[in-house]
Amino acid sequence: MKTIFATATLLLAAAPLAAQQMDGPCGKREYFVDQLVETYEEQPVAGGLQSEESLVEIWASEKTGSFTILVTDAAGETCVAFTGEDFHEASGFVGVKGEAS
């Protein structure tokens, strides 16, 4: 699987939102995953822990170009943070592992 620069940028953009109350739709993760796979043909392309209490995931469809950023809290509630179109991968990003700041 390719690592992507655009994904890192989206994760950084979503990080502050993960700590806030989401304004988008929220509910069970399984519901959103089913919708992303079945309706939008999206698959997970990247993700990471925003904090000990928030998981940020980027889902995208190579076929349609749509993408969705999900944020899941420690209690298991998932919210849609962003959606968009024209998702593309960028080469050259090297993932870095480390402590959250």
Side-chain angles (χ1 to χ4, degrees):
M1 180 198 231
K2 296 180 184 178
T3 53
I4 51 177
F5 179 72
T7 300
T9 303
L10 290 171
L11 280 172
L12 290 172
L17 294 174
Q20 301 173 7
Q21 178 72 23
M22 288 288 126
D23 290 332
C26 298
K28 292 186 177 184
R29 184 177 182 281
E30 295 80 21
Y31 170 79
F32 292 107
V33 168
D34 288 346
Q35 292 298 308
L36 293 176
V37 171
E38 294 173 13
T39 304
Y40 298 99
E41 300 180 48
E42 293 183 8
Q43 298 294 317
V45 295
L49 293 175
Q50 189 274 328
S51 69
E52 291 181 9
E53 299 181 13
S54 297
L55 169 68
V56 177
E57 299 174 273
I58 300 175
W59 290 66
S61 171
E62 186 176 349
K63 182 177 178 182
T64 68
S66 68
F67 69 90
T68 304
I69 298 178
L70 299 178
V71 179
T72 303
D73 67 17
E77 181 163 302
T78 297
C79 297
V80 176
F82 296 102
T83 62
E85 37 188 61
D86 297 324
F87 183 83
H88 63 278
E89 292 185 1
S91 62
F93 175 73
V94 177
V96 179
K97 293 183 179 182
E99 298 283 325
S101 56

Coordinates of all heavy atoms in Angstrom, one line a residue:
M1 N 0.8 -1.2 0.0 CA 0.0 0.0 0.0 C 0.9 1.2 0.0 O 1.9 1.3 0.7 CB -0.9 0.0 1.2 CG -1.8 1.2 1.3 SD -2.4 1.3 3.0 CE -4.0 1.4 2.9
K2 N 0.6 2.2 -0.8 CA 1.3 3.4 -0.9 C 1.1 4.3 0.3 O -0.1 4.5 0.7 CB 1.0 4.2 -2.2 CG 1.3 3.4 -3.5 CD 0.8 4.3 -4.6 CE 1.0 3.6 -6.0 NZ 0.6 4.4 -7.1
T3 N 2.1 4.9 0.8 CA 1.9 6.0 1.8 C 1.8 7.3 1.0 O 2.4 7.4 -0.1 CB 3.1 6.1 2.7 OG1 4.3 6.2 2.0 CG2 3.2 4.8 3.6
I4 N 1.0 8.2 1.5 CA 0.7 9.4 0.7 C 0.8 10.7 1.5 O 0.4 10.7 2.6 CB -0.7 9.2 0.1 CG1 -1.7 8.9 1.2 CG2 -0.8 8.2 -1.0 CD1 -3.2 8.8 0.7
F5 N 1.3 11.6 0.8 CA 1.5 13.0 1.4 C 0.2 13.6 1.7 O -0.1 14.2 2.7 CB 2.4 13.8 0.5 CG 2.6 15.2 1.0 CD1 3.4 15.4 2.1 CD2 1.9 16.3 0.4 CE1 3.6 16.7 2.6 CE2 2.1 17.5 0.9 CZ 3.0 17.8 2.0
A6 N -0.8 13.5 0.7 CA -2.1 14.1 0.9 C -2.8 13.6 2.1 O -3.5 14.3 2.8 CB -2.9 13.9 -0.3
T7 N -2.6 12.3 2.4 CA -3.2 11.7 3.6 C -2.7 12.3 4.9 O -3.5 12.7 5.8 CB -3.0 10.2 3.6 OG1 -3.5 9.6 2.4 CG2 -3.6 9.5 4.8
A8 N -1.4 12.5 4.9 CA -0.8 13.2 6.1 C -1.4 14.6 6.3 O -1.7 15.0 7.4 CB 0.7 13.2 6.0
T9 N -1.5 15.3 5.2 CA -2.1 16.7 5.3 C -3.5 16.6 5.8 O -3.9 17.4 6.7 CB -2.1 17.3 3.9 OG1 -0.7 17.3 3.4 CG2 -2.6 18.7 3.9
L10 N -4.3 15.7 5.3 CA -5.7 15.6 5.8 C -5.8 15.2 7.2 O -6.6 15.7 8.0 CB -6.5 14.6 4.9 CG -6.8 15.0 3.5 CD1 -7.3 13.8 2.7 CD2 -7.7 16.2 3.5
L11 N -4.9 14.3 7.7 CA -4.9 13.9 9.1 C -4.5 15.1 10.0 O -5.1 15.3 11.0 CB -3.9 12.8 9.3 CG -4.3 11.4 8.9 CD1 -3.1 10.4 9.0 CD2 -5.4 10.9 9.8
L12 N -3.6 15.9 9.5 CA -3.2 17.0 10.3 C -4.4 18.0 10.4 O -4.6 18.7 11.4 CB -1.9 17.7 9.7 CG -0.7 16.9 9.9 CD1 0.5 17.5 9.2 CD2 -0.3 16.8 11.4
A13 N -5.1 18.2 9.3 CA -6.2 19.1 9.2 C -7.3 18.6 10.1 O -8.0 19.4 10.7 CB -6.7 19.3 7.8
A14 N -7.5 17.3 10.2 CA -8.6 16.8 11.0 C -8.3 16.7 12.5 O -9.2 16.6 13.3 CB -9.0 15.4 10.5
A15 N -7.0 16.7 12.8 CA -6.7 16.5 14.2 C -7.3 17.5 15.2 O -7.8 17.0 16.2 CB -5.1 16.6 14.4
P16 N -7.3 18.8 15.0 CA -8.0 19.6 16.0 C -9.5 19.3 16.1 O -10.1 19.5 17.2 CB -7.8 21.0 15.4 CG -6.7 20.9 14.5 CD -6.7 19.5 13.9
L17 N -10.1 18.9 15.0 CA -11.5 18.6 15.0 C -11.8 17.4 15.9 O -12.9 17.2 16.4 CB -12.1 18.4 13.6 CG -12.0 19.7 12.8 CD1 -12.4 19.3 11.3 CD2 -12.9 20.7 13.3
A18 N -10.9 16.4 15.9 CA -11.1 15.2 16.7 C -11.3 15.5 18.1 O -12.0 14.7 18.8 CB -10.0 14.2 16.4
A19 N -10.7 16.6 18.6 CA -10.8 16.9 20.0 C -12.1 17.7 20.4 O -12.4 17.8 21.5 CB -9.6 17.7 20.4
Q20 N -12.8 18.1 19.3 CA -14.0 18.9 19.5 C -15.3 18.0 19.3 O -15.2 16.9 18.7 CB -14.1 20.0 18.5 CG -12.9 21.0 18.7 CD -12.9 22.0 17.6 OE1 -13.8 22.1 16.8 NE2 -11.8 22.8 17.5
Q21 N -16.4 18.5 19.7 CA -17.7 17.9 19.3 C -17.9 18.0 17.8 O -17.7 19.0 17.2 CB -18.8 18.6 20.1 CG -20.2 18.1 19.8 CD -20.4 16.7 20.4 OE1 -19.8 16.3 21.4 NE2 -21.3 16.0 19.9
M22 N -18.2 16.9 17.2 CA -18.4 16.8 15.8 C -19.8 17.4 15.4 O -20.8 17.1 16.1 CB -18.4 15.4 15.2 CG -17.0 14.8 15.2 SD -16.0 15.6 13.9 CE -14.6 16.1 14.9
D23 N -19.9 18.2 14.4 CA -21.1 18.7 13.9 C -21.8 17.8 12.8 O -22.9 17.9 12.5 CB -20.9 20.1 13.3 CG -20.6 21.1 14.3 OD1 -21.0 21.0 15.5 OD2 -19.9 22.1 14.0
G24 N -21.0 16.9 12.3 CA -21.5 16.0 11.3 C -22.2 14.8 11.9 O -22.4 14.8 13.1
P25 N -22.7 14.0 11.1 CA -23.5 12.8 11.6 C -22.6 11.9 12.4 O -21.4 11.7 12.1 CB -24.0 12.1 10.3 CG -23.1 12.6 9.2 CD -22.6 13.9 9.6
C26 N -23.1 11.4 13.5 CA -22.4 10.5 14.4 C -23.3 9.3 14.7 O -24.5 9.3 14.6 CB -22.1 11.2 15.8 SG -21.0 12.6 15.6
G27 N -22.6 8.2 15.0 CA -23.3 7.0 15.3 C -22.4 5.8 15.4 O -21.2 6.0 15.7
K28 N -22.9 4.6 15.2 CA -22.1 3.4 15.3 C -21.1 3.3 14.1 O -21.5 3.5 13.0 CB -23.0 2.2 15.4 CG -23.8 2.1 16.6 CD -24.5 0.8 16.7 CE -25.3 0.7 18.0 NZ -25.9 -0.6 18.2
R29 N -19.9 2.9 14.4 CA -18.9 2.9 13.3 C -19.3 1.9 12.2 O -19.1 2.2 11.0 CB -17.6 2.4 13.9 CG -16.4 2.4 12.9 CD -15.1 2.1 13.6 NE -14.0 2.1 12.6 CZ -13.8 1.1 11.7 NH1 -14.5 0.0 11.7 NH2 -12.8 1.2 10.9
E30 N -19.9 0.8 12.6 CA -20.3 -0.2 11.6 C -21.3 0.3 10.6 O -21.2 0.0 9.4 CB -21.0 -1.4 12.3 CG -20.1 -2.2 13.2 CD -19.9 -1.6 14.6 OE1 -20.7 -0.7 15.0 OE2 -18.8 -1.9 15.2
Y31 N -22.2 1.2 11.0 CA -23.1 1.8 10.1 C -22.3 2.6 9.0 O -22.6 2.5 7.8 CB -24.1 2.7 10.8 CG -24.9 3.6 9.9 CD1 -26.0 3.0 9.2 CD2 -24.6 4.9 9.6 CE1 -26.7 3.8 8.3 CE2 -25.3 5.7 8.7 CZ -26.4 5.1 8.0 OH -27.1 5.8 7.1
F32 N -21.4 3.5 9.5 CA -20.6 4.3 8.5 C -19.8 3.5 7.6 O -19.7 3.8 6.4 CB -19.8 5.4 9.3 CG -20.7 6.4 9.9 CD1 -20.9 6.4 11.3 CD2 -21.4 7.4 9.2 CE1 -21.7 7.4 11.9 CE2 -22.2 8.3 9.8 CZ -22.4 8.3 11.2
V33 N -19.1 2.5 8.2 CA -18.3 1.6 7.4 C -19.1 0.9 6.3 O -18.7 0.9 5.1 CB -17.5 0.6 8.2 CG1 -16.9 -0.5 7.4 CG2 -16.5 1.3 9.1
D34 N -20.2 0.4 6.6 CA -21.1 -0.3 5.6 C -21.5 0.7 4.5 O -21.5 0.4 3.4 CB -22.4 -0.8 6.3 CG -22.1 -2.1 7.1 OD1 -21.0 -2.6 7.0 OD2 -23.0 -2.4 7.9
Q35 N -21.9 1.9 4.9 CA -22.3 2.9 3.9 C -21.1 3.3 3.0 O -21.3 3.4 1.8 CB -22.8 4.2 4.6 CG -24.1 4.0 5.3 CD -25.2 3.6 4.3 OE1 -25.4 4.3 3.3 NE2 -25.9 2.5 4.6
L36 N -19.9 3.5 3.6 CA -18.7 3.9 2.8 C -18.4 2.8 1.8 O -18.1 3.1 0.6 CB -17.6 4.2 3.7 CG -17.7 5.4 4.6 CD1 -16.5 5.6 5.5 CD2 -17.9 6.7 3.7
V37 N -18.4 1.5 2.2 CA -18.1 0.4 1.3 C -19.2 0.2 0.3 O -18.9 0.1 -0.9 CB -17.8 -0.9 2.2 CG1 -17.7 -2.1 1.3 CG2 -16.6 -0.7 3.0
E38 N -20.4 0.1 0.7 CA -21.5 -0.3 -0.2 C -22.0 0.8 -1.1 O -22.2 0.6 -2.3 CB -22.6 -0.9 0.6 CG -22.3 -2.2 1.3 CD -23.4 -2.7 2.2 OE1 -24.5 -2.1 2.2 OE2 -23.1 -3.6 3.0
T39 N -22.1 2.0 -0.6 CA -22.7 3.2 -1.3 C -21.6 3.9 -2.1 O -21.8 4.3 -3.2 CB -23.4 4.1 -0.4 OG1 -24.4 3.3 0.3 CG2 -24.1 5.2 -1.2
Y40 N -20.4 4.2 -1.4 CA -19.4 5.0 -2.0 C -18.2 4.3 -2.5 O -17.3 4.9 -3.1 CB -19.0 6.1 -1.0 CG -20.2 7.0 -0.6 CD1 -20.9 6.8 0.6 CD2 -20.6 8.0 -1.5 CE1 -22.0 7.5 0.9 CE2 -21.7 8.8 -1.1 CZ -22.4 8.6 0.1 OH -23.4 9.3 0.4
E41 N -18.2 3.0 -2.4 CA -17.1 2.1 -2.8 C -15.7 2.6 -2.2 O -14.7 2.5 -2.8 CB -17.0 2.1 -4.3 CG -18.3 1.5 -5.0 CD -18.2 1.5 -6.5 OE1 -17.2 1.0 -7.0 OE2 -19.1 2.0 -7.1
E42 N -15.8 3.1 -1.0 CA -14.5 3.6 -0.3 C -13.9 2.5 0.5 O -14.6 1.6 1.0 CB -14.8 4.8 0.5 CG -15.2 6.0 -0.3 CD -15.4 7.3 0.6 OE1 -15.2 7.3 1.8 OE2 -15.9 8.3 0.0
Q43 N -12.6 2.6 0.7 CA -11.8 1.7 1.5 C -10.9 2.5 2.4 O -10.6 3.6 2.0 CB -11.0 0.7 0.6 CG -11.8 -0.2 -0.3 CD -12.6 -1.2 0.5 OE1 -12.1 -1.8 1.5 NE2 -13.8 -1.4 0.1
P44 N -10.5 2.0 3.5 CA -9.6 2.7 4.4 C -8.2 2.9 3.7 O -7.7 1.9 3.1 CB -9.5 1.9 5.6 CG -9.9 0.5 5.3 CD -10.8 0.7 4.1
V45 N -7.7 4.1 3.6 CA -6.4 4.4 3.0 C -5.4 4.8 4.0 O -4.2 4.7 3.7 CB -6.5 5.3 1.8 CG1 -7.4 4.8 0.7 CG2 -7.1 6.7 2.2
A46 N -5.8 5.4 5.1 CA -4.9 5.9 6.1 C -5.6 6.1 7.4 O -6.8 6.2 7.5 CB -4.1 7.1 5.7
G47 N -4.8 6.3 8.5 CA -5.4 6.6 9.8 C -4.4 6.7 10.8 O -3.2 6.3 10.6
G48 N -4.8 7.1 12.0 CA -3.9 7.2 13.1 C -4.6 7.7 14.3 O -5.7 8.2 14.3
L49 N -3.9 7.6 15.4 CA -4.4 8.1 16.7 C -4.2 9.6 16.8 O -3.1 10.0 16.7 CB -3.8 7.4 17.9 CG -4.1 5.9 18.0 CD1 -3.3 5.3 19.1 CD2 -5.6 5.7 18.2
Q50 N -5.3 10.3 17.0 CA -5.1 11.8 17.2 C -4.8 12.0 18.7 O -4.0 12.9 19.0 CB -6.4 12.5 16.9 CG -6.4 14.0 16.8 CD -6.6 14.6 18.2 OE1 -7.4 14.1 19.0 NE2 -5.9 15.7 18.5
S51 N -5.3 11.2 19.5 CA -4.9 11.2 21.0 C -5.3 9.8 21.5 O -5.7 8.9 20.7 CB -5.8 12.2 21.7 OG -7.1 11.9 21.7
E52 N -5.2 9.6 22.8 CA -5.5 8.3 23.4 C -7.0 8.1 23.3 O -7.5 7.0 23.5 CB -5.1 8.3 24.8 CG -3.6 8.2 25.0 CD -3.2 8.1 26.5 OE1 -4.1 7.9 27.4 OE2 -2.0 8.3 26.8
E53 N -7.8 9.1 22.9 CA -9.2 9.0 22.9 C -9.8 9.2 21.5 O -11.0 9.2 21.4 CB -9.8 10.1 23.9 CG -9.4 9.8 25.3 CD -10.0 10.8 26.3 OE1 -10.9 11.5 25.9 OE2 -9.5 10.8 27.4
S54 N -9.0 9.5 20.5 CA -9.6 9.7 19.2 C -8.8 9.0 18.1 O -7.6 9.2 17.9 CB -9.6 11.2 18.8 OG -10.4 11.9 19.7
L55 N -9.5 8.2 17.2 CA -8.9 7.6 16.1 C -9.4 8.4 14.8 O -10.6 8.6 14.7 CB -9.3 6.1 16.0 CG -9.0 5.4 14.7 CD1 -7.5 5.2 14.5 CD2 -9.8 4.1 14.6
V56 N -8.5 8.8 14.0 CA -8.9 9.4 12.7 C -8.6 8.5 11.6 O -7.5 7.9 11.5 CB -8.1 10.7 12.5 CG1 -8.4 11.4 11.2 CG2 -8.3 11.7 13.7
E57 N -9.6 8.3 10.7 CA -9.4 7.4 9.5 C -9.8 8.1 8.3 O -10.7 8.9 8.2 CB -10.4 6.2 9.6 CG -10.2 5.3 10.8 CD -11.3 4.3 10.9 OE1 -12.4 4.6 11.5 OE2 -11.1 3.2 10.3
I58 N -9.0 7.9 7.2 CA -9.4 8.4 5.9 C -9.8 7.2 5.0 O -9.0 6.3 4.9 CB -8.2 9.2 5.3 CG1 -7.8 10.3 6.2 CG2 -8.6 9.7 3.9 CD1 -6.6 11.1 5.8
W59 N -11.0 7.3 4.4 CA -11.5 6.4 3.5 C -11.6 7.0 2.2 O -11.9 8.2 2.1 CB -12.9 5.9 4.0 CG -12.9 5.1 5.2 CD1 -12.6 5.5 6.5 CD2 -13.3 3.7 5.3 NE1 -12.7 4.4 7.3 CE2 -13.1 3.4 6.6 CE3 -13.7 2.8 4.4 CZ2 -13.4 2.1 7.1 CZ3 -14.0 1.5 4.8 CH2 -13.8 1.2 6.2
A60 N -11.3 6.3 1.1 CA -11.3 6.9 -0.2 C -11.7 5.8 -1.3 O -11.4 4.6 -1.1 CB -10.0 7.6 -0.6
S61 N -12.2 6.3 -2.4 CA -12.5 5.4 -3.5 C -11.6 5.8 -4.7 O -11.7 6.9 -5.2 CB -13.9 5.6 -3.9 OG -14.2 4.9 -5.1
E62 N -10.8 4.8 -5.1 CA -10.0 5.1 -6.3 C -10.9 5.2 -7.6 O -10.6 6.0 -8.5 CB -9.0 3.9 -6.5 CG -8.0 4.1 -7.6 CD -7.0 3.0 -7.7 OE1 -6.9 2.1 -6.8 OE2 -6.3 2.9 -8.7
K63 N -12.0 4.5 -7.6 CA -12.9 4.5 -8.7 C -13.6 5.8 -8.8 O -13.7 6.4 -9.9 CB -13.9 3.4 -8.6 CG -14.9 3.2 -9.7 CD -15.8 2.0 -9.5 CE -16.8 1.9 -10.7 NZ -17.7 0.8 -10.5
T64 N -14.2 6.4 -7.7 CA -15.0 7.6 -7.8 C -14.3 8.8 -7.4 O -14.7 9.9 -7.7 CB -16.3 7.4 -6.9 OG1 -15.9 7.4 -5.6 CG2 -17.1 6.2 -7.3
G65 N -13.2 8.7 -6.6 CA -12.5 9.9 -6.2 C -13.1 10.5 -4.9 O -12.5 11.5 -4.4
S66 N -14.1 9.9 -4.4 CA -14.7 10.4 -3.1 C -13.8 10.0 -1.9 O -13.1 9.1 -2.0 CB -16.1 9.9 -2.9 OG -16.1 8.5 -2.7
F67 N -13.9 10.8 -0.9 CA -13.2 10.5 0.3 C -14.0 11.0 1.5 O -14.8 11.9 1.5 CB -11.8 11.1 0.4 CG -11.7 12.5 0.5 CD1 -11.6 13.2 1.8 CD2 -11.6 13.3 -0.6 CE1 -11.5 14.5 1.9 CE2 -11.5 14.7 -0.5 CZ -11.5 15.3 0.8
T68 N -13.7 10.3 2.7 CA -14.4 10.6 3.9 C -13.4 10.5 5.1 O -12.6 9.6 5.1 CB -15.6 9.6 4.2 OG1 -16.4 9.6 3.1 CG2 -16.3 9.9 5.4
I69 N -13.5 11.5 6.0 CA -12.7 11.4 7.2 C -13.6 11.1 8.4 O -14.5 11.9 8.6 CB -11.9 12.7 7.4 CG1 -10.9 12.9 6.2 CG2 -11.1 12.6 8.7 CD1 -10.1 14.2 6.3
L70 N -13.3 10.0 9.0 CA -14.1 9.6 10.2 C -13.2 9.8 11.5 O -12.0 9.6 11.4 CB -14.4 8.1 10.2 CG -15.3 7.6 9.0 CD1 -15.4 6.1 9.1 CD2 -16.6 8.3 9.0
V71 N -13.9 10.2 12.6 CA -13.3 10.3 13.9 C -14.0 9.4 14.8 O -15.3 9.6 14.9 CB -13.2 11.8 14.3 CG1 -12.6 11.9 15.7 CG2 -12.5 12.6 13.3
T72 N -13.4 8.5 15.5 CA -14.0 7.6 16.5 C -13.4 7.9 17.8 O -12.2 7.9 18.0 CB -13.8 6.2 16.1 OG1 -14.3 6.0 14.7 CG2 -14.5 5.2 17.0
D73 N -14.3 8.1 18.8 CA -13.8 8.4 20.2 C -13.7 7.1 21.0 O -14.0 6.0 20.5 CB -14.8 9.3 20.9 CG -16.2 8.8 21.2 OD1 -16.4 7.6 21.2 OD2 -17.0 9.6 21.5
A74 N -13.1 7.2 22.2 CA -12.8 6.0 23.0 C -14.1 5.2 23.3 O -14.0 4.0 23.6 CB -12.1 6.5 24.3
A75 N -15.2 5.8 23.4 CA -16.5 5.1 23.7 C -17.0 4.4 22.4 O -18.0 3.7 22.5 CB -17.5 6.1 24.2
G76 N -16.4 4.6 21.3 CA -16.8 3.9 20.1 C -17.7 4.6 19.2 O -18.2 4.1 18.2
E77 N -18.0 5.9 19.5 CA -18.9 6.7 18.7 C -18.1 7.3 17.5 O -17.0 7.8 17.7 CB -19.6 7.8 19.4 CG -20.5 8.6 18.5 CD -21.5 9.5 19.3 OE1 -22.2 9.0 20.0 OE2 -21.4 10.7 19.0
T78 N -18.6 7.1 16.3 CA -17.9 7.6 15.1 C -18.7 8.8 14.5 O -19.9 8.8 14.5 CB -17.8 6.5 14.1 OG1 -17.1 5.4 14.6 CG2 -17.2 7.0 12.8
C79 N -17.9 9.8 14.1 CA -18.5 11.0 13.5 C -17.9 11.2 12.1 O -16.7 11.0 12.0 CB -18.4 12.2 14.3 SG -19.2 12.1 15.9
V80 N -18.6 11.7 11.2 CA -18.1 12.1 9.9 C -17.5 13.5 10.0 O -18.3 14.5 10.3 CB -19.1 12.0 8.8 CG1 -18.6 12.6 7.5 CG2 -19.7 10.6 8.6
A81 N -16.2 13.7 9.9 CA -15.6 15.0 10.1 C -15.6 15.8 8.7 O -15.9 17.0 8.7 CB -14.2 14.9 10.6
F82 N -15.3 15.1 7.6 CA -15.2 15.7 6.3 C -15.6 14.7 5.3 O -15.4 13.5 5.4 CB -13.8 16.1 6.0 CG -13.2 17.2 6.9 CD1 -12.3 16.8 7.8 CD2 -13.5 18.5 6.7 CE1 -11.7 17.8 8.7 CE2 -12.9 19.5 7.5 CZ -12.0 19.1 8.5
T83 N -16.1 15.2 4.2 CA -16.3 14.4 2.9 C -15.8 15.3 1.8 O -15.7 16.5 1.9 CB -17.7 14.0 2.7 OG1 -18.5 15.2 2.5 CG2 -18.3 13.2 3.8
G84 N -15.4 14.6 0.7 CA -15.0 15.4 -0.5 C -14.8 14.5 -1.7 O -15.2 13.4 -1.7
E85 N -14.3 15.2 -2.7 CA -14.2 14.4 -4.0 C -12.8 14.8 -4.6 O -12.1 15.6 -4.1 CB -15.3 14.8 -5.0 CG -15.8 16.2 -4.9 CD -17.0 16.4 -5.8 OE1 -18.1 15.8 -5.5 OE2 -16.9 17.2 -6.7
D86 N -12.5 14.1 -5.7 CA -11.2 14.3 -6.3 C -10.0 13.9 -5.5 O -8.9 14.5 -5.5 CB -11.0 15.7 -6.9 CG -12.0 16.0 -7.9 OD1 -12.4 15.1 -8.7 OD2 -12.5 17.2 -8.0
F87 N -10.2 12.9 -4.6 CA -9.0 12.4 -3.8 C -8.0 11.8 -4.7 O -8.3 11.1 -5.7 CB -9.5 11.3 -2.9 CG -8.5 10.8 -1.9 CD1 -8.2 11.4 -0.8 CD2 -7.7 9.6 -2.3 CE1 -7.2 11.0 0.1 CE2 -6.7 9.2 -1.4 CZ -6.5 9.8 -0.2
H88 N -6.7 12.1 -4.4 CA -5.6 11.5 -5.2 C -4.5 11.2 -4.2 O -4.3 11.9 -3.2 CB -5.2 12.4 -6.3 CG -4.7 13.8 -5.8 ND1 -5.5 14.8 -5.4 CD2 -3.4 14.2 -5.5 CE1 -4.8 15.8 -5.0 NE2 -3.5 15.5 -5.0
E89 N -3.7 10.3 -4.6 CA -2.5 9.9 -3.8 C -1.3 10.8 -4.3 O -1.2 11.0 -5.5 CB -2.2 8.4 -4.0 CG -3.2 7.6 -3.3 CD -2.8 6.1 -3.4 OE1 -1.7 5.8 -3.9 OE2 -3.6 5.3 -2.9
A90 N -0.4 11.1 -3.4 CA 0.8 11.8 -3.7 C 1.9 10.9 -3.2 O 1.9 10.3 -2.2 CB 0.8 13.1 -3.0
S91 N 3.0 10.8 -4.0 CA 4.1 10.0 -3.6 C 5.1 10.8 -2.9 O 5.1 12.0 -2.8 CB 4.8 9.4 -4.9 OG 5.2 10.4 -5.7
G92 N 6.0 10.1 -2.2 CA 7.1 10.7 -1.5 C 6.9 10.9 0.0 O 7.9 11.3 0.6
F93 N 5.8 10.7 0.5 CA 5.6 10.8 2.0 C 6.3 9.6 2.7 O 6.1 8.5 2.3 CB 4.1 10.9 2.4 CG 3.9 11.0 3.8 CD1 4.2 12.1 4.6 CD2 3.4 9.9 4.5 CE1 4.0 12.1 5.9 CE2 3.2 9.9 5.9 CZ 3.5 11.1 6.6
V94 N 7.0 9.9 3.7 CA 7.6 8.9 4.6 C 6.9 9.0 5.9 O 7.0 10.0 6.6 CB 9.1 9.0 4.7 CG1 9.7 8.0 5.6 CG2 9.8 9.0 3.3
G95 N 6.2 7.9 6.3 CA 5.5 7.9 7.6 C 6.5 8.0 8.8 O 7.6 7.5 8.7
V96 N 6.1 8.7 9.8 CA 6.9 8.8 11.0 C 6.2 8.3 12.2 O 5.0 8.7 12.4 CB 7.3 10.3 11.3 CG1 8.1 10.4 12.5 CG2 8.0 10.9 10.0
K97 N 6.8 7.4 13.0 CA 6.1 6.9 14.2 C 6.7 7.7 15.3 O 7.9 8.0 15.4 CB 6.4 5.4 14.4 CG 5.8 4.5 13.3 CD 6.1 3.1 13.6 CE 5.4 2.2 12.5 NZ 5.6 0.8 12.8
G98 N 5.8 7.9 16.3 CA 6.3 8.6 17.5 C 5.2 9.0 18.4 O 4.1 8.6 18.2
E99 N 5.5 9.8 19.4 CA 4.6 10.2 20.4 C 3.7 11.4 19.9 O 4.2 12.2 19.1 CB 5.3 10.7 21.7 CG 6.2 9.7 22.3 CD 5.3 8.7 23.1 OE1 4.3 9.1 23.7 OE2 5.7 7.5 23.2
A100 N 2.5 11.4 20.3 CA 1.6 12.5 20.0 C 2.1 13.7 20.8 O 2.6 13.7 21.9 CB 0.1 12.2 20.4
S101 N 1.9 14.9 20.1 CA 2.4 16.1 20.8 C 1.2 16.8 21.5 O 0.1 16.6 21.2 CB 3.1 17.1 19.8 OG 2.2 17.3 18.8

